[in-house]
């Protein structure tokens, strides 16, 4: 199932397809990435992290669409990540239709809502469905596989992309290839994640591909199959789309209807039961970065087989992944180990146990720990803040407000705040009085005072905030006006 390297270039005929923007990319950004904790958190999942380059996985996904005959992408994500999605698109100069889900209901409902939205103006495009958190090293090979899949999708097939295996892998599902088609194969069966012996047999046979979770399908064809196989899901998605409403630059799906929708993947809900399912091979240096072991495989290694990021010192260390975010991490006399250091957590694990990090996160969550959900660095639409120190009745934060950023007009009922400007100039409003606070100056916000902080300058505003009071939780906030239409929970 190897590819002909000379055939990687997409045909000129395909590039000049008369339908023009015939493909509607749909990027699914609802994953949580718990196997990459403590790098990935509920509030900052892996698709927004810069794991393999200076761009996040989401940004890489959007940029690999350049050169395809495709419209601006539709980005489906959780409502709590909406400002992260918008900011990361802004950073790379790209635009997208941002569709917000009130909660994750897996891939089948997300794709259904995307298909309905794509058809609202009478169009019936091919949907190129891509997870937001994958790495593809060879973009031209990826685009070539899309060109092979296009005629199949136009002919009514629901097409998935099967990755040509490079080794026996127990962390991926497999796809069994059936009879040959022009550009691909009939999809014979899905194989659940195998054990090591079974994985070796599948790879050796040459008849199986890794299940990538990427698809190309006609919007109407998918909806027809959903009506046949999952009518309750289709009905809930129809109601969620019909009750969708605009919120600033975002489109919010109807909350009540979407929460009623059955949760299922496209594989289980549709693909396994569809007679016209096809698979097109993909040989493009693909990885889903689904575990630290796969991240180790996606990064460059040194002569001893180590991958590292940050301030790391390795002695007598082999075949290990070492990541330092906050301080020096030194290793001595270890092999096949994962070490990940963040400002608030450290993970040490054997590489053979990389898939079990998800279970560890579940145990921490059940124990009521906050670390699986949030990290010290918290992103907001106006900038970010990072916890520096805390104790009984006090907390210290480093706050960054980007140019043009504007915090809500708010008050706190249990804490006072001291602001010390480190860089830039702050426009401060306290109980109706506005004034400027410049570098090395400070101001005080009493308990109950109505206040706002803005950066009207051209450079980022950096300040240290010292909170004091009987309760310092983030939910002690009463917003009276907010440029970003947030509630007190955000």
């Amino acid at each position: 199932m190897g590819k002909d390297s000379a055939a990687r270039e997409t045909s000129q005929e395909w590039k000049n397809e008369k339908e023009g923007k015939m493909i509607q990319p749909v990027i699914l950004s609802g994953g949580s990435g718990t196997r990459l904790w403590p790098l990935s958190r509920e509030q900052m999942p892996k698709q927004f992290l810069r794991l393999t380059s200076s761009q996040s996985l989401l940004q890489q996904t959007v940029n690999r669409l350049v050169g395809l005959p495709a419209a601006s992408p539709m980005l489906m994500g959780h409502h709590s990540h909406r400002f992260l999605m918008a900011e990361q698109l802004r950073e790379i100069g790209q635009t997208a239709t941002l569709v917000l889900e009130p909660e994750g209901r897996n891939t089948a409902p997300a794709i259904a809502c995307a298909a309905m939205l794509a058809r609202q103006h009478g169009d019936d495009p091919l949907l190129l469905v891509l997870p937001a958190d994958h790495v593809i090293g060879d973009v031209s090979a990826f685009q070539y596989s899309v060109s092979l899949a296009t005629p199949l999708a136009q002919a009514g097939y629901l097409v998935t992309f099967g990755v040509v295996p490079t080794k026996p892998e127990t962390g991926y599902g497999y796809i069994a290839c059936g009879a040959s088609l022009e550009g691909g194969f009939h999809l014979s069966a899905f194989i659940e994640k195998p054990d090591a012996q079974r994985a070796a047999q599948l790879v050796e046979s040459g008849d199986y591909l890794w299940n990538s979770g990427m698809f190309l399908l006609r919007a109407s064809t998918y909806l027809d199959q959903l009506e046949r196989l999952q009518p309750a899901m289709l009905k809930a998605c129809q109601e969620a789309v019909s009750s969708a409403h605009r919120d600033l630059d975002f489109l919010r799906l109807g909350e009540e209807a979407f929460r009623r929708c059955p949760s299922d993947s496209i594989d289980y809900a549709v693909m396994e039961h569809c007679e016209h399912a096809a698979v097109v091979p993909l040989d493009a240096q693909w990885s889903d970065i689904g575990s630290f072991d796969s991240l180790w495989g996606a990064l460059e290694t040194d002569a001893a087989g180590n991958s590292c990021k940050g301030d790391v010192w390795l002695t007598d260390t082999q075949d290990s992944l070492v990541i330092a975010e906050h301080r020096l991490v030194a290793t001595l006399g270890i092999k096949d180990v994962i070490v990940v250091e963040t400002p608030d957590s450290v993970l040490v694990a054997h590489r053979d146990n990389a898939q079990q990090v998800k279970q560890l996160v579940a145990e921490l969550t059940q124990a009521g720990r906050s670390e699986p959900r949030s990290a010290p660095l918290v992103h907001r639409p106006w900038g970010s803040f990072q916890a520096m120190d805390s104790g009984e009745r006090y907390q210290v934060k480093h706050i960054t407000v980007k140019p043009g950023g504007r915090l809500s007009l708010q008050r706190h009922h249990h804490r006072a705040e001291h602001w010390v400007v480190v860089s830039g100039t702050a426009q401060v409003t306290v109980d109706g009085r506005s004034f400027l606070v410049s570098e090395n100056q400070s101001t005080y916000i009493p308990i109950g005072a109505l206040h706002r902080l803005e950066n009207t300058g051209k450079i980022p505003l950096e300040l240290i905030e010292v909170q004091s009071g009987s309760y310092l939780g983030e939910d002690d906030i009463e917003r009276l006006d907010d440029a970003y239409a947030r509630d007190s929970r955000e």
Side-chain angles (χ1 to χ4, degrees):
M1 293 182 186
K3 63 181 179 297
D4 179 358
S5 60
R8 288 189 186 182
E9 290 192 13
T10 305
S11 69
Q12 192 63 38
E13 179 181 350
W14 181 64
K15 287 184 177 179
N16 295 334
E17 168 64 45
K18 64 181 180 181
E19 292 183 50
K21 305 300 186 184
M22 64 182 193
I23 292 176
Q24 172 61 66
V26 177
I27 300 176
L28 305 179
S29 184
S32 57
T34 53
R35 289 185 180 90
L36 291 184
W37 181 88
L39 297 181
S40 179
R41 314 284 179 112
E42 180 182 327
Q43 293 181 352
M44 189 68 172
K46 71 171 181 174
Q47 59 267 32
F48 302 111
L49 302 180
R50 292 163 171 82
L51 296 175
T52 62
S53 77
S54 60
Q55 293 187 341
S56 72
L57 300 182
L58 170 62
Q59 290 171 328
Q60 293 177 50
T61 302
V62 173
N63 279 337
R64 75 175 61 107
L65 297 170
V66 176
L68 291 175
S72 177
M74 187 181 302
L75 184 52
M76 314 286 293
H78 193 273
H79 73 96
S80 64
H81 301 148
R82 63 192 186 279
F83 297 113
L84 275 172
M85 293 189 293
E87 176 62 18
Q88 293 209 342
L89 288 172
R90 186 200 64 78
E91 286 180 359
I92 59 174
Q94 299 281 7
T95 61
T97 300
L98 300 176
V99 183
L100 307 181
E101 301 169 311
E103 66 180 38
R105 308 304 293 159
N106 217 312
T107 56
I111 298 169
C113 290
M116 295 173 195
L117 292 169
R119 298 205 65 199
Q120 281 188 335
H121 301 293
D123 299 326
D124 191 14
L126 303 183
L127 305 183
L128 178 59
V129 180
L130 305 173
D133 55 1
H134 290 182
V135 167
I136 291 179
D138 190 339
V139 174
S140 65
F142 161 74
Q143 295 192 356
Y144 174 65
S145 290
V146 174
S147 74
L148 293 179
T150 298
L152 293 172
Q154 289 174 328
Y157 284 94
L158 301 183
V159 184
T160 188
F161 296 90
V163 176
V164 178
T166 56
K167 63 177 181 178
E169 174 60 63
T170 60
Y172 300 145
Y174 286 72
I175 293 172
C177 297
S180 294
L181 294 168
E182 184 67 32
F185 303 88
H186 282 283
L187 196 160
S188 178
F190 287 94
I191 311 297
E192 292 291 337
K193 296 177 181 178
D195 59 27
Q197 182 179 358
R198 176 62 170 154
Q201 293 171 347
L202 296 177
V203 173
E204 185 177 358
S205 75
D207 294 326
Y208 295 84
L209 303 167
W210 290 338
N211 184 2
S212 73
M214 298 187 291
F215 304 87
L216 185 69
L217 38 85
R218 180 77 70 186
S220 60
T221 304
Y222 178 70
L223 294 175
D224 289 344
Q225 291 296 323
L226 207 64
E227 184 175 24
R228 180 176 69 88
L229 298 167
Q230 305 289 339
M233 181 182 294
L234 179 68
K235 185 175 186 295
C237 290
Q238 288 171 332
E239 293 175 358
V241 170
S242 65
S243 57
H245 64 278
R246 285 282 170 190
D247 176 7
L248 300 178
D249 295 328
F250 310 100
L251 180 66
R252 288 183 178 270
L253 296 173
E255 183 171 341
E256 182 179 345
F258 197 76
R259 291 185 188 278
R260 290 200 309 268
C261 183
S263 176
D264 208 350
S265 71
I266 181 176
D267 290 349
Y268 289 127
V270 176
M271 297 295 291
E272 287 189 348
H273 313 286
C274 179
E275 294 181 359
H276 290 85
V279 57
V280 168
L282 174 67
D283 193 356
Q285 302 168 29
W286 171 91
S287 174
D288 71 344
I289 313 294
S291 68
F292 280 115
D293 196 46
S294 61
L295 178 58
W296 170 83
L299 296 173
E300 291 186 6
T301 57
D302 61 20
N306 300 307
S307 296
C308 56
K309 296 179 67 175
D311 191 4
V312 171
W313 188 275
L314 308 180
T315 300
D316 189 19
T317 298
Q318 300 176 15
D319 301 325
S320 295
L321 173 67
V322 184
I323 297 176
E325 284 198 339
H326 188 246
R327 71 201 81 196
L328 169 67
V329 173
T331 63
L332 173 63
I334 63 173
K335 178 181 174 64
D336 294 323
V337 172
I338 298 163
V339 181
V340 181
E341 180 272 339
T342 67
D344 67 335
S345 304
V346 177
L347 171 71
V348 181
H350 196 278
R351 279 180 48 206
D352 289 346
N353 300 104
Q355 294 288 341
Q356 298 173 31
V357 174
K358 182 176 182 179
Q359 178 182 343
L360 171 63
V361 172
E363 294 172 0
L364 291 171
T365 302
Q366 187 175 8
R369 301 292 304 232
S370 63
E371 289 88 351
R373 182 172 187 273
S374 60
L377 179 63
V378 178
H379 293 267
R380 289 288 187 258
W382 43 260
S384 64
F385 66 83
Q386 182 164 357
M388 299 175 62
D389 193 14
S390 63
E392 187 176 356
R393 296 186 63 87
Y394 80 90
Q395 184 168 230
V396 181
K397 292 180 178 180
H398 173 204
I399 296 177
T400 302
V401 185
K402 61 189 178 183
R406 189 179 196 222
L407 280 67
S408 62
L409 183 64
Q410 58 186 258
R411 63 164 60 98
H412 310 294
H413 297 283
H414 302 285
R415 72 173 186 252
E417 295 173 342
H418 296 256
W419 293 341
V420 180
V421 174
V422 176
S423 176
T425 299
Q427 176 79 37
V428 177
T429 300
V430 180
D431 286 335
R433 183 174 68 91
S434 292
F435 51 94
L436 297 178
V437 181
S438 299
E439 186 173 325
N440 295 323
Q441 295 181 335
S442 64
T443 190
Y444 170 66
I445 313 297
I447 293 176
L450 196 60
H451 62 281
R452 166 172 269 156
L453 176 66
E454 302 178 61
N455 181 4
T456 57
K458 303 296 184 183
I459 63 172
L461 167 65
E462 309 278 345
L463 63 126
I464 302 300
E465 176 181 86
V466 180
Q467 302 176 356
S468 60
S470 59
Y471 178 73
L472 305 173
E474 286 300 313
D475 54 349
D476 178 23
I477 180 171
E478 179 186 352
R479 287 197 176 100
L480 283 81
D481 178 65
D482 183 48
Y484 311 104
R486 296 167 296 162
D487 61 30
S488 59
R489 297 170 295 178
E490 299 182 286

